[in-house]
Amino acid sequence: MTRRKLIGDSLTFLTAGALALDIIFVIAVIVLIAAKGLGHFWQKDLIELKLNDGRVYLGEIWNRESNPDAGTRVRLKVGNRDVSGTDFIWVDERQVEVQTIPVNAVLVERSEWGNFYGYPVAIRHGDRILAEGSAAVMRRFGSVHAEKSRQLQRIHEIEKDEIGDVNFQIEKLRLTLRRVELGGGDSAARAELESQLDAQQYRYDRLVTKLESLNAEFESERLVLETADGIERAIVLGHVIRLVQPNVLSAVDAIGLYASRIGEFLTAESRESNTEGGVFPAIFGTVMMVFIMSIVVVPFGVLAAIYLREYAKEGLAVRVVRIAVNNLAGVPSIVFGVFGLGFFVYLMGGSIDRLFYPESLPNPTFGTGGILWASLTLALLTVPVVIVATEEGLAAVPQAARQGSRALGATRFETLWRVVVPAAMPGILTGLILAMARAAGEVAPLMIVGMVKLAPTLPVDGNFPFVHLERKFMHLGFHIFDVGFQSPNVEAVKPMVFATALVLILVVLATNLIAILLRNRLRRKYAASAV
Amino acid sequence: MNSKLERDPQLHNHRDLETVLEKPILAAESLSLWYGASQALKEISLSIPERRITALIGPSGCGKSTLLRCFNRLNDLVDGVRIEGDIRFHGSSIFDPEVDVNGLRRQIGMVFQKSNPFPKSIFENVAYGCRIHGMNRKRELEEVVERSLVRAGLWDEVKDRLHESALGMSGGQQQRLCIARAIAVEPEVILLDEPCSALDPIATAKIEELMQELKERYTLLIVTHNMQQAARASDYTAFMYLGERVEFGETGQLFVNPSEKQTEDYISGRFG
Ligand SMILES: Nc1ncnc2c1ncn2[C@@H]1O[C@H](COP(=O)(O)OP(=O)(O)O)[C@@H](O)[C@H]1O
Ligand SMILES: [Mg+2]
């Protein structure tokens, strides 16, 4: 073998090796996140440990590690935060006398205080006992719980829809009144508004009374449970989300439980300051923000690229602009956040408030962070990507096609609009795909232009005008940060962090996939350039 | 060569060049053109007879394409072009400021050396010109597309895949599609710039055959550096050399009995 061949061969191995390493890293990331995130929803057995000093624990084995001196210790998730104050304990395995998997042990998922592990005792309604003993409680629970769910739904309807609507009307009337006052309006109109306001206030009071009685009824049943060390607790049955006997689950039930937990995670709102429940508002916020960003960035980026490539005369000015655009893509994203705050939120938002919402001042409407400003900030951040990709797409359209169009009597604009831009569409979509991937992953700049830990309402709801671009919103990226690093119980939320990260990856993947499918369809249709 | 004259009765009736050229559809009058400082066309005068095929021959770089692009003012798109002299279309100047250039290009269509279908479907390629010039109704467009494809001899080959991409066709089909695209807007003149130079002999033969049919309706002006093609397919031939029109005449006459020494040298293959 000659030396030159040797160098050539080793180069092949080097490049192939680098690629293989890249692929392995990517796969490792996804596999790790998927395993940790998806494992969280699978129900493990409940173990009861009797220790030689008389303590008894019931819980799920979280992890196991070797002691500093000898033997191993296990970390047990014991829940019952309201009773014992902590979710987790360490047990030295040398101290364990008896380890059992009790058939009757139950896991209660509830809307506050985290999980409860213990044994069912009874279901009570006031002093009346509806069911007593483990088997009876389990049998009775289903029907009572179903009724509670219906009541809860009714309560939510009243809270969110009816009271929400009344609040919305009252706020609107109040602002109208204020506007009339600001304009020094006539007293007849004012009286009319005030009487309407009174009517709404009356409606509100009636709804609150109704809500109070519903709530009292909702909270009337208690589920009585006993902890492993014999302490009794009565939990409001309505607050129970799930009651499971993990140690006697059939395979089918176990899979059903797993699926229902994943479903809840994807479709429900979060509970207990994001450490439990679902991430739906964050998914919604992320997708909607990326969507608005796309609507804004595509026209702007495409028009700018068309000007640069098709109209501007090549020269120093164009070169400088092109360099500036490319460098814009390298500016740290937090800088865009600061700019967004200064320009969009304070300047534009402030002006909009002064012009269109003077009645609600000094409370800002658009003059504070919101999903619109966040989307615009991101559009600014991603517009260079779209410009560059579109320019490449335009450059790939053959000059001959343009000449052919001009020779048929088309004007320059018609040629551009009907031949060049459609042929450059795959390139434009490539730009959009890159922009969306970047936008969905940005967190830093959003923290100062409208993203929040917990938004009370989605940016879309049933109140006119249905889409509320001024509202604050939740975001998967921020959710990961918030849950992972800002919650008191870091160990308990770890799986949530992985699961949320997995969802974020899947959301980015899904949005990209849609755009890629669209691009492939266009490419097939035109069988055009490979940009 | 003589046999060709016998074969073409139309030509028989117009043997006299002067008679045919009394009212040419297109005429260049001492046309000169400069690309920046270099002169590409020198005082060219040339009359194009209506509903005939006129061939432009000459060695490569002599200005054939440049002259062709003058007739539909496609040189307007090139920076730094300067033109002197005139071109008359139906007797009036095409450089008149009143002239609507896009309207002119509709009347004088063009087919390029390298086929250049748009990255669209076959249907949309043919319908393109009509849409540009304001035809929107689906039925009308369908009629035009079918008629144009039939005239371009392409209908039978593509009628089942009108909505597939034009870029999936063979080279010869693409070139005939470009011809169909040009005739869809009902031009009077079609300029063809070496339409067969990238095609195989069978596809070339098809296009030559097509040209014979097209001259019933249209005036054709074809650039070729293939002298056999000019001799086979054209009624009149102009020979250009270094930006000048050296000789112009009936094809049979020019090939059998050229009056200029340069023409004779070129067609007998002594240079070019
Ligand atoms: N766009 C252009 N800019 C400058 N010079 C050109 C341009 N197009 C053609 N030329 C020059 O004009 C002359 C004639 O070219 P062309 O008309 O293409 O010749 P032909 O078609 O006969 O081969 C050549 O010398 C060529 O280099
Ligand atoms: Mg040429």
Side-chain angles (χ1 to χ4, degrees):
Chain A
M1 217 194 296
T2 67
R3 233 190 90 208
R4 279 171 60 198
K5 186 161 178 337
L6 204 70
I7 292 177
D9 282 354
S10 45
L11 207 67
T12 313
F13 279 114
L14 196 70
T15 49
L19 179 66
L21 215 62
D22 286 348
I23 294 175
I24 288 172
F25 277 136
V26 171
I27 291 178
V29 166
I30 294 178
V31 166
L32 178 92
I33 290 178
K36 294 245 179 188
L38 290 174
H40 167 54
F41 302 104
W42 185 255
Q43 183 57 52
K44 291 185 215 149
D45 280 341
L46 294 188
I47 314 274
E48 190 174 88
L49 299 178
K50 282 201 174 68
L51 306 191
N52 52 14
D53 57 6
R55 286 181 293 162
V56 189
Y57 292 117
L58 175 70
E60 297 172 42
I61 293 186
W62 202 255
N63 61 335
R64 187 178 258 117
E65 59 180 54
S66 51
N67 276 327
D69 43 349
T72 55
R73 55 179 192 164
V74 287
R75 193 189 335 233
L76 211 57
K77 181 172 182 188
V78 292
N80 305 6
R81 213 184 303 148
D82 44 341
V83 182
S84 59
T86 75
D87 277 300
F88 292 90
I89 52 138
W90 284 104
V91 173
D92 190 330
E93 289 207 301
R94 288 168 300 187
Q95 286 185 294
V96 176
E97 247 168 21
V98 192
Q99 172 171 344
T100 51
I101 303 181
V103 179
N104 287 340
V106 290
L107 153 66
V108 181
E109 288 175 33
R110 48 188 177 169
S111 56
E112 47 191 25
W113 294 110
N115 287 356
F116 190 96
Y117 298 91
Y119 299 93
V121 175
I123 297 177
R124 282 207 318 254
H125 183 286
D127 292 335
R128 213 147 44 85
I129 290 180
L130 300 182
E132 192 154 31
S134 178
V137 167
M138 293 312 287
R139 242 180 290 121
R140 188 67 197 269
F141 177 80
S143 61
V144 181
H145 190 251
E147 198 201 326
K148 292 294 116 177
S149 301
R150 275 194 299 278
Q151 287 176 3
L152 187 65
Q153 207 182 346
R154 180 78 192 108
I155 289 173
H156 277 170
E157 269 169 26
I158 293 182
E159 278 177 349
K160 283 230 148 147
D161 301 349
E162 300 184 26
I163 295 195
D165 183 51
V166 174
N167 276 335
F168 189 77
Q169 302 296 345
I170 289 180
E171 182 65 10
K172 220 168 68 182
L173 287 169
R174 209 180 56 74
L175 291 176
T176 321
L177 192 62
R178 176 123 174 76
R179 194 159 45 222
V180 170
E181 280 168 7
L182 282 182
D186 58 300
S187 53
R190 239 159 47 198
E192 163 68 18
L193 281 169
E194 266 157 15
S195 80
Q196 280 184 25
L197 210 55
D198 285 345
Q200 292 291 347
Q201 188 63 45
Y202 176 68
R203 210 178 125 202
Y204 179 81
D205 292 342
R206 281 227 329 241
L207 280 172
V208 169
T209 323
K210 192 166 162 197
L211 201 60
E212 272 164 10
S213 76
L214 273 175
N215 265 328
E217 195 188 334
F218 176 69
E219 290 178 357
S220 55
E221 285 91 352
R222 303 281 152 124
L223 174 64
V224 184
L225 299 147
E226 189 183 38
T227 65
D229 41 6
I231 303 173
E232 252 191 30
R233 276 278 144 164
I235 299 171
V236 176
L237 198 143
H239 292 172
V240 175
I241 288 156
R242 265 192 212 92
L243 176 69
V244 203
Q245 284 184 306
N247 298 345
V248 291
L249 275 184
S250 69
V252 176
D253 287 343
I255 291 170
L257 179 64
Y258 184 72
S260 109
R261 279 187 180 153
I262 289 185
E264 185 201 350
F265 184 69
L266 293 178
T267 57
E269 292 179 12
S270 63
R271 289 181 271 121
E272 304 204 46
S273 72
N274 292 353
T275 60
E276 302 270 348
V279 292
F280 179 73
I283 298 178
F284 192 90
T286 309
V287 171
M288 181 164 169
M289 185 202 63
V290 170
F291 185 72
I292 299 175
M293 187 256 354
S294 308
I295 291 178
V296 177
V297 81
V298 167
F300 271 92
V302 169
L303 288 178
I306 287 177
Y307 183 79
L308 275 179
R309 176 64 59 179
E310 303 286 329
Y311 287 104
K313 272 220 166 23
E314 279 301 323
L316 187 67
V318 169
R319 281 225 304 282
V320 169
V321 169
R322 217 170 256 145
I323 291 171
V325 165
N326 283 329
N327 280 325
L328 208 59
V331 173
S333 55
I334 189 74
V335 175
F336 283 97
V338 174
F339 174 80
L341 182 71
F343 181 72
F344 292 128
V345 176
Y346 291 157
L347 196 69
M348 286 179 66
S351 312
I352 291 176
D353 277 359
R354 272 191 300 284
L355 286 176
F356 301 107
Y357 302 94
E359 64 277 7
S360 39
L361 284 174
N363 286 340
T365 308
F366 275 96
T368 173
I371 193 164
L372 177 65
W373 302 140
S375 304
L376 291 185
T377 304
L378 281 189
L380 211 61
L381 185 90
T382 52
V383 79
V385 182
V386 177
I387 292 181
V388 170
T390 306
E391 270 209 75
E392 271 166 27
L394 291 173
V397 180
Q399 214 57 40
R402 297 165 211 245
Q403 283 220 348
S405 168
R406 297 305 298 274
L408 278 167
T411 63
R412 186 172 181 178
F413 173 76
E414 286 163 341
T415 303
L416 196 62
W417 189 241
R418 289 170 182 253
V419 176
V420 180
V421 171
M425 216 53 193
I428 294 172
L429 283 175
T430 301
L432 177 63
I433 291 167
L434 294 173
M436 288 197 309
R438 171 118 202 244
E442 274 305 338
V443 178
L446 302 179
M447 294 209 270
I448 44 183
V449 289
M451 182 174 66
V452 288
K453 169 193 167 82
L454 205 66
T457 43
L458 291 179
V460 174
D461 66 15
N463 284 326
F464 186 80
F466 310 118
V467 179
H468 306 272
L469 294 177
E470 79 285 0
R471 284 195 186 160
K472 307 228 185 276
F473 66 104
M474 293 170 73
H475 186 278
L476 285 167
F478 189 54
H479 204 81
I480 293 172
F481 170 74
D482 178 61
V483 172
F485 301 97
Q486 307 288 301
S487 61
N489 200 344
V490 177
E491 191 57 40
V493 296
K494 241 194 220 162
M496 273 285 272
V497 171
F498 285 108
T500 312
L502 187 65
V503 172
L504 178 55
I505 292 178
L506 291 180
V507 165
V508 174
L509 222 61
T511 42
N512 279 6
L513 212 63
I514 293 169
I516 288 171
L517 288 179
L518 193 67
R519 181 178 62 180
N520 287 354
R521 249 191 61 174
L522 283 179
R523 266 203 200 134
R524 256 203 313 284
K525 195 162 147 205
Y526 299 135
S529 63
V531 177
Chain B
M1 299 284 166
N2 274 327
S3 64
K4 179 181 185 313
L5 296 183
E6 251 87 60
R7 247 191 10 246
D8 191 343
Q10 247 188 332
L11 204 56
H12 253 313
N13 302 334
H14 298 279
R15 291 206 33 197
D16 191 358
L17 185 61
E18 303 297 322
T19 327
V20 190
L21 291 184
E22 248 169 41
K23 280 192 81 182
I25 182 165
L26 259 178
E29 293 172 359
S30 35
L31 188 77
S32 298
L33 182 144
W34 288 262
Y35 288 114
S38 75
Q39 189 168 10
L41 298 179
K42 294 171 190 159
E43 302 259 328
I44 293 203
S45 292
L46 185 65
S47 298
I48 313 296
E50 194 166 0
R51 297 191 193 204
R52 292 289 175 282
I53 300 176
T54 305
L56 281 177
I57 60 170
S60 120
C62 70
K64 306 181 295 290
S65 300
T66 303
L67 176 61
L68 205 65
R69 285 201 306 263
C70 284
F71 287 117
N72 65 350
R73 288 187 56 180
L74 212 58
N75 282 325
D76 291 9
L77 306 183
V78 182
D79 278 339
V81 166
R82 186 163 61 83
I83 295 176
E84 275 177 17
D86 201 1
I87 292 178
R88 291 185 173 275
F89 180 50
H90 288 303
S92 47
S93 169
I94 65 166
F95 295 115
D96 192 314
E98 301 277 286
V99 168
D100 163 22
V101 181
N102 294 320
L104 177 79
R105 288 184 188 142
R106 179 193 176 157
Q107 289 169 300
I108 304 181
M110 185 160 190
V111 176
F112 294 79
Q113 178 167 6
K114 194 170 165 297
S115 62
N116 56 351
F118 303 130
K120 293 174 181 291
S121 68
I122 294 170
F123 183 93
E124 284 304 324
N125 260 278
V126 182
Y128 182 80
C130 300
R131 285 196 198 275
I132 289 292
H133 295 290
M135 187 187 287
N136 285 320
R137 269 200 293 281
K138 192 149 181 288
R139 277 234 51 81
E140 268 180 279
L141 285 171
E142 278 169 355
E143 271 168 33
V144 170
V145 168
E146 174 167 355
R147 188 171 63 227
S148 309
L149 285 170
V150 167
R151 281 189 196 162
L154 203 55
W155 177 250
D156 291 330
E157 290 163 60
V158 301
K159 63 169 182 265
D160 300 323
R161 51 180 181 123
L162 287 178
H163 297 283
E164 287 172 29
S165 169
L167 301 179
M169 307 164 81
S170 75
Q173 288 176 323
Q174 288 192 7
Q175 197 59 295
R176 276 181 287 149
L177 180 71
C178 290
I179 294 175
R181 186 173 77 184
I183 59 187
V185 292
E186 293 293 343
E188 293 175 50
V189 182
I190 303 174
L191 311 169
L192 302 107
D193 191 351
E194 303 196 30
C196 305
S197 64
L199 302 184
D200 61 75
I202 294 174
T204 302
K206 271 195 182 153
I207 294 213
E208 284 176 19
E209 203 179 302
L210 173 60
M211 280 166 37
Q212 298 306 323
E213 285 164 24
L214 290 178
K215 81 172 188 191
E216 310 260 312
R217 298 168 186 278
Y218 312 103
T219 304
L220 296 154
L221 180 57
I222 175 172
V223 168
T224 173
H225 62 217
N226 175 341
M227 275 168 297
Q228 283 75 28
Q229 186 172 52
R232 272 195 311 264
S234 71
D235 303 320
Y236 298 92
T237 301
F239 171 60
M240 288 177 65
Y241 186 57
L242 293 179
E244 284 179 88
R245 193 212 77 188
V246 176
E247 188 169 351
F248 177 50
E250 223 174 79
T251 298
Q253 193 69 34
L254 188 129
F255 277 92
V256 176
N257 198 359
S259 52
E260 299 287 329
K261 177 80 169 58
Q262 281 167 328
T263 318
E264 196 182 335
D265 287 349
Y266 181 70
I267 58 180
S268 59
R270 244 164 275 166
F271 71 91

